[in-house]
Amino acid sequence: MPFVPQDLLDRISALEREVRQLRGRAQMRPRMDEISNGRVVIAEGGTLEVLAPDGTGLFGVGAFSDWWNHPDGSKQQGVIMQREDGTTAFSVRAFPDAGLGGAGTQAVSIWDRTGHQVISDDTTSGRGIGSPALPMPFQPLPPANEVITASAFLNCWFASIQAHNPVATVQLEFSAAPGATCEIKVQYRLASEANWTDIQTDSVAAPAGSSGLTTKTAWYTFPLDRADFEQLIFVRIQGRQKAGADGVRVTCLGGFTRRTYSRTEVPDPPVQSIAARAFATTDAGDTTGSEQGIDLPVQPPPFPQTPPKEGTADAA
């Protein structure tokens, strides 16, 4: 008779238990609403959407519908966040219609409930803030709002601001007495430049037989050429009595900076960006700063510096 181990039945029972456990685990599915570690990749034009219980889209990232295609017909990839009422709150997207400020270039925007971009970058120039427009306060310089009889240009108004938007616009009102001609000049320069750039010269003449002042009101708009983001710029208004003897007046009604409305308003690029100059200064070992104040704010380098190697004095 063959030898049979006495614990054979126990071994068979243990094996059956293990088989039942394996069969049960094989039929179990992992939780579909949790990722313990690692990353999730949605590739090849896929999208991720989050919907409210009523079907309203709350969040989406990936490919947009065909209506949002780029001008060349390609799919646009972006991000959109909506409020629970369906209004857009945040987006990274371009408008298919170039007239609406897109031409295929995406903007990072925050929206109000009526569809206005309350905060966005400037898509046309690619530099600075598109919205909101920012005020440009002017300070009167004698003889602002006073009678001017000098034939040489006099400084009347002055503004000093940081460049955040790419375009500036100024509204002036200037007047001439009967028989006189008032001429004004709008000038612009960077704080780091020595010479002024003449933006526009304009004039108004009053007939000799007129009764009272002859007045002209006009807007003067110009791109902030060569100005890097947050760089200090100056705008100056000059006036003179070009002809006549009874005097002229120059008044600044206001000014502000804004986004570009067309490609013709794109400013000339900076010769060298502030970030690059600040990085060069830091890289040269200068720890005292540029001593140029807000004209050249010391910002972090444009790229992370290489971390020190282990075992060096800097790593300690």
Side-chain angles (χ1 to χ4, degrees):
M1 176 179 294
F3 174 76
V4 178
Q6 294 182 358
D7 61 346
L8 180 60
L9 296 179
D10 295 337
R11 294 183 180 182
I12 293 175
S13 298
L15 182 60
E16 289 176 345
R17 285 195 302 271
E18 292 180 2
V19 170
R20 284 195 300 268
Q21 290 177 357
L22 292 175
R23 184 182 297 124
R25 292 176 179 174
Q27 294 176 354
M28 292 175 58
R29 292 187 300 175
R31 292 186 59 176
M32 304 300 290
D33 60 351
E34 180 179 319
I35 300 173
S36 299
N37 53 61
R39 63 173 183 160
V40 176
V41 177
I42 301 176
E44 299 183 6
T47 61
L48 172 66
E49 299 181 22
V50 178
L51 306 180
D54 63 357
T56 301
L58 299 179
F59 174 78
V61 58
F64 289 167
S65 63
D66 290 344
W67 191 84
W68 295 97
N69 284 356
H70 288 296
D72 61 2
S74 61
K75 278 280 190 179
Q76 182 179 174
Q77 314 288 323
V79 179
I80 184 170
M81 296 176 64
Q82 297 184 162
R83 303 176 182 88
E84 61 181 1
D85 62 2
T87 58
T88 301
F90 172 83
S91 67
V92 180
R93 69 185 179 194
F95 290 97
D97 186 352
L100 296 177
T105 304
Q106 291 185 323
V108 179
S109 306
I110 296 178
W111 303 77
D112 66 9
R113 283 182 170 81
T114 58
H116 297 107
Q117 290 177 309
V118 295
I119 300 177
S120 69
D121 57 343
D122 189 78
T123 57
T124 308
S125 69
R127 187 165 76 248
I129 299 172
S131 297
L134 300 177
M136 183 165 53
F138 278 86
Q139 301 299 320
L141 304 173
N145 295 325
E146 301 173 1
V147 176
I148 299 174
T149 57
S151 59
F153 278 109
L154 300 178
N155 299 328
C156 298
W157 298 87
F158 189 87
S160 175
I161 64 169
Q162 283 184 295
H164 291 96
N165 303 102
V167 177
T169 184
V170 181
Q171 187 179 32
L172 302 180
E173 182 179 88
F174 46 103
S175 309
T181 298
C182 178
E183 187 174 40
I184 61 95
K185 184 182 293 184
V186 180
Q187 296 181 310
Y188 158 81
R189 73 175 175 89
L190 307 182
S192 58
E193 295 176 337
N195 299 319
W196 290 90
T197 299
D198 292 338
I199 298 300
Q200 192 163 351
T201 301
D202 202 354
S203 63
V204 61
S210 62
S211 59
L213 299 175
T214 298
T215 300
K216 180 176 182 178
T217 303
W219 287 94
Y220 303 94
T221 301
F222 53 96
L224 301 182
D225 290 334
R226 307 176 304 282
D228 207 338
F229 185 71
E230 291 188 339
Q231 190 167 9
L232 184 63
I233 67 165
F234 298 149
V235 178
R236 186 172 71 180
I237 310 300
Q238 293 185 320
R240 68 167 179 165
Q241 181 178 245
K242 185 177 182 180
D246 290 337
V248 298
R249 292 179 184 269
V250 179
T251 300
C252 180
L253 301 181
F256 58 90
T257 58
R258 60 163 173 81
R259 65 180 177 89
T260 52
Y261 288 167
S262 66
R263 294 189 179 277
T264 59
E265 293 185 336
V266 174
D268 294 338
V271 176
Q272 185 181 21
S273 68
I274 287 178
R277 292 199 299 269
F279 177 73
T281 300
T282 303
D283 190 53
D286 184 1
T287 59
T288 62
S290 62
E291 298 184 358
Q292 296 189 40
I294 57 176
D295 184 42
L296 186 60
V298 179
Q299 302 287 356
F303 301 101
Q305 295 181 347
T306 304
K309 296 181 180 179
E310 295 184 2
T312 64
D314 294 336

